[in-house]
Amino acid sequence: MKNGNIALLAEDGAARFGRRPALGMHGAGAAEELSYASLAARARQVAATLVAAGLGPDDRVALLCEPRPRWGVAFFATLRAGGVVLPLDQRLDAAELARIVADARPRLLLVGREQETLARQVLAAGDAAITVLSLEADSGDPSWPSMDGSPSTAACPCVPRSADAPAVLTYTSGTMGSARGVVTSHGNLRFQMQAIQSVMQNDERCTSVSILPLSHLFELTAGFLGVLYGGGCVCYCNSLMPTDVLSAMRDRRVTCMVVVPLFLELIRSAILHEVARRSRFRRRMFSVLAATAAALPLAFRRRLFAPLHRRFGGRLEYFVSGGAPLPRATQRFFASIGLPVYQGYGLAEASPVITTNSPAAHRGGSVGRPLPGIEVIVSARDGGEILTRGPHVMLGYLGEEAPGGSPVDAAGWLHTGDLGYFDRDGFLFVTGRKKNVIVLGSGKKVQPEELEAVLFDHPDVAEGCVIGVATRRGRLAEAEEVCAIVVASDAAVRRCREQGEDLELALRRVVEERALLLSPCKRPSLIILRNEPLPRTATRKVRRPTLMSWLARGALQS
């Protein structure tokens, strides 16, 4: 039987690309640079250490470390030894991590120096017997032996794995609501990296700065495996501060990046803030160029905004955005300065990419076309729900017998829980979540995402969310009404403070004016100002249940 172990990617890379840089680090830890050859050699050595520590086939190995080159070594070493990688998000608190560890029950826990205190808190909260190894060569904790302690001659043969053998276990809120472990196979990962490479055409010229957590499959497949499969280089920058990321992009002369919309908004805001500090003439020139450049060829736009491109390193070709809906205004802004943003769509249960825009085929507002080899339909029987089938669909949830059932039906279709439609050219548009639909007293159904795209498209609004709340009026008490929750932008706060204007009234007027663009039944009957950012998941999706709880605690009565 052919060995389908995804860890062979490291060996293939060593044979094809040898001493070319594979993984690097910006700033502190910059010396932690690995070529393709050294990545494969280190993975062989560490795999032997893991086996010596008791790791067997299908045992789980939890990784608690910030994204960095030795994370990649631990990833390939675990798979090489036949284990299953459980990537943990270091930004979660100890209680959340303890719940995941209790459910997944890993055999080993690999810890970075910065996460040692957090790891102790996680272990103290549980009762599972877990062997802890340090990812650091000079670990100061004698109770946590270092992975680097193996002799240089140590080697572990790559354990044969079939395509349907488990490779990665990630935790997600999932299509069914509650947090569950998603089991992704070696075949899922191999399909993803090959399909992404065929569409995005990543090769040895590709250099990417990684800023997203590797505990999420979007970064793991598109920003890690996809880049390495093409022979490119991944540089880690453990900061979301625009100045730090721009420095890394400039130093490494990146060609592409996998991002979430929040990052693009931060960069856009930083650019516009700098423009606002210039002379009136230069501000006017920037506005005119940005407004007219959209009609020009991409090469012309790059020349017009050459100074901006030099700040990104001079070689940046595009961004790939996922994890949350991309605002059209953000996409238009970057397109106008000659930096296309290709939006994709997927979910952890689909390992994770289902569709994407690409340099060869892209359409604004859409999430692109299905990856080659993937089936996608919009089911009229399921109310316009997006269904998908193919080699990207997960093996299942950990403990498939858990309450809630599987979103994969008997015919192999994964029910995503998202609603959408295809245009005549095969581009998919996502219109909202099936479970987010607001049912009005008239029986009409309203999709919050449709309203959000209209109501909050204004410079006075930093962010907003539309949810349905139980109406408090007479006979309609069992129905819902539309509630708009809005967060003011910094510019709006400053203006109201300087002019003595009431901020809440100003934001209410903005939303009411924008609502005139909607049909009367869709306009919000409640508009609430929130004085802090919206609660979001690690992939920047709004936590609507948290907002509902916030409203229930008194925001509706204030």
Side-chain angles (χ1 to χ4, degrees):
M1 180 181 67
K2 183 179 178 182
N3 192 348
N5 195 322
I6 200 71
L8 289 175
L9 174 62
E11 296 295 335
D12 294 341
R16 295 167 61 199
F17 308 115
R19 296 189 178 277
R20 288 184 59 84
L23 302 175
M25 192 84 190
H26 179 72
E32 196 178 321
E33 191 95 16
L34 292 174
S35 68
Y36 277 86
S38 58
L39 172 61
R42 289 283 305 281
R44 290 193 293 270
Q45 178 180 336
V46 171
T49 303
L50 301 181
V51 171
L55 183 69
D58 291 326
D59 283 344
R60 299 175 194 119
V61 176
L63 276 177
L64 184 58
C65 177
E66 73 277 8
R68 54 192 293 197
R70 64 184 59 196
W71 191 103
V73 172
F75 175 84
F76 286 119
T78 298
L79 297 180
R80 183 181 184 86
V84 178
V85 177
L86 169 63
L88 298 175
D89 190 343
Q90 57 164 339
R91 298 169 304 175
L92 297 179
D93 61 32
E96 290 179 279
L97 289 172
R99 286 194 291 271
I100 291 174
V101 169
D103 187 63
R105 303 189 71 81
R107 181 68 176 268
L108 303 177
L109 173 61
L110 309 185
V111 184
R113 181 180 291 109
E114 298 298 322
Q115 292 74 39
E116 288 180 356
T117 299
L118 179 59
R120 290 190 180 91
Q121 294 170 347
V122 171
L123 294 175
D127 58 359
I130 302 174
T131 300
V132 181
L133 296 177
S134 172
L135 286 164
E136 313 300 330
D138 55 348
S139 174
D141 190 333
S143 66
W144 293 1
S146 169
M147 289 197 318
D148 294 348
S150 300
S152 59
T153 55
C156 172
C158 190
V159 174
R161 304 297 276 164
S162 64
D164 60 356
V168 174
L169 175 62
T170 55
Y171 277 76
T172 175
S173 58
T175 63
M176 306 305 290
S178 58
R180 305 176 76 174
V182 176
V183 184
T184 304
S185 71
H186 286 265
N188 290 152
L189 295 179
R190 186 170 294 278
F191 170 80
Q192 282 280 320
M193 70 182 191
Q194 292 175 341
I196 290 170
Q197 198 275 336
S198 71
V199 170
M200 305 309 295
Q201 295 297 303
N202 294 331
D203 55 23
E204 298 97 317
R205 298 177 301 108
C206 177
T207 300
S208 177
V209 169
S210 176
I211 58 174
L212 302 181
L214 283 161
S215 54
H216 292 276
L217 286 173
F218 179 45
E219 180 64 23
L220 181 62
T221 55
F224 177 64
L225 295 177
V227 175
L228 294 181
Y229 182 70
C233 177
V234 182
C235 174
Y236 294 104
C237 177
N238 290 310
S239 171
L240 273 179
M241 295 296 294
T243 52
D244 295 335
V245 178
L246 285 173
S247 174
M249 294 171 68
R250 186 167 52 250
D251 291 350
R252 293 286 176 157
R253 301 193 68 207
V254 299
T255 60
C256 59
M257 276 185 68
V258 175
V259 298
V260 291
L262 174 65
F263 170 76
L264 296 174
E265 275 298 299
L266 290 174
I267 296 297
R268 175 175 177 254
S269 296
I271 293 172
L272 294 178
H273 180 70
E274 185 172 320
V275 170
R277 297 166 57 188
R278 297 179 178 178
S279 67
R280 184 175 181 179
F281 172 76
R282 297 188 71 179
R283 292 199 305 269
R284 180 63 179 164
M285 282 296 297
F286 184 90
S287 298
V288 171
L289 288 175
T292 58
L296 299 174
L298 181 61
F300 276 53
R301 282 176 268 159
R302 292 184 186 275
R303 291 175 189 170
L304 281 175
F305 293 95
L308 270 179
H309 284 260
R310 284 194 291 272
R311 293 185 61 185
F312 293 120
R315 297 176 61 225
L316 181 60
E317 298 175 7
Y318 59 82
F319 293 105
V320 177
S321 178
L326 176 67
R328 288 298 303 274
T330 303
Q331 189 172 39
R332 288 194 295 265
F333 172 81
F334 281 98
S336 71
I337 64 174
L339 285 174
V341 180
Y342 300 124
Q343 184 176 198
Y345 163 71
L347 58 158
E349 290 86 347
S351 68
V353 183
I354 299 173
T355 68
T356 189
N357 285 281
S358 69
H362 53 93
R363 180 152 298 168
S366 81
V367 293
R369 290 171 171 164
L371 291 177
I374 286 179
E375 294 180 79
V376 182
I377 61 173
V378 175
S379 173
R381 186 179 62 183
D382 294 289
E385 184 177 6
I386 299 167
L387 312 184
T388 184
R389 182 170 64 180
H392 60 309
V393 175
M394 65 174 180
L395 291 179
Y397 290 125
L398 184 66
E400 195 71 30
E401 71 283 355
S406 171
V408 183
D409 65 25
W413 290 103
L414 169 64
H415 292 241
T416 67
D418 293 311
L419 305 175
Y421 67 92
F422 282 104
D423 69 9
R424 66 177 63 185
D425 296 317
F427 288 89
L428 181 66
F429 291 75
V430 178
T431 58
R433 287 288 294 169
K434 190 174 181 180
K435 64 183 180 182
N436 291 339
V437 171
I438 301 170
V439 182
L440 303 176
S442 64
K444 185 173 182 59
K445 296 179 180 178
V446 176
Q447 193 63 48
E449 291 84 355
E450 175 194 356
L451 278 58
E452 290 167 354
V454 174
L455 294 176
F456 308 131
D457 186 15
H458 192 279
D460 279 359
V461 178
E463 55 180 344
C465 180
V466 171
I467 57 178
V469 298
T471 185
R472 294 168 290 173
R473 294 193 288 270
R475 282 180 274 175
L476 299 179
E478 296 300 319
E480 293 180 298
E481 57 185 319
V482 177
C483 174
I485 301 171
V486 59
V487 179
S489 66
D490 291 341
V493 173
R494 284 195 302 269
R495 189 191 70 246
C496 289
R497 184 184 299 121
E498 292 168 0
Q499 300 178 2
E501 186 179 0
D502 185 284
L503 181 62
E504 183 171 1
L505 291 178
L507 268 293
R508 184 179 296 278
R509 281 197 300 269
V510 165
V511 175
E512 288 174 345
E513 289 172 4
R514 298 295 302 166
L516 295 176
L517 300 173
L518 302 169
S519 58
C521 68
K522 296 181 179 181
R523 296 170 188 169
S525 53
L526 294 169
I527 301 172
I528 296 175
L529 176 67
R530 182 176 166 91
N531 294 318
E532 55 186 338
L534 298 180
R536 293 181 181 272
T537 66
T539 53
R540 306 306 301 165
K541 294 184 178 73
V542 174
R543 294 184 183 273
R544 294 176 189 270
T546 302
L547 281 180
M548 291 293 291
S549 298
W550 173 71
L551 290 173
R553 290 196 302 268
L556 284 173
Q557 283 73 41
S558 60

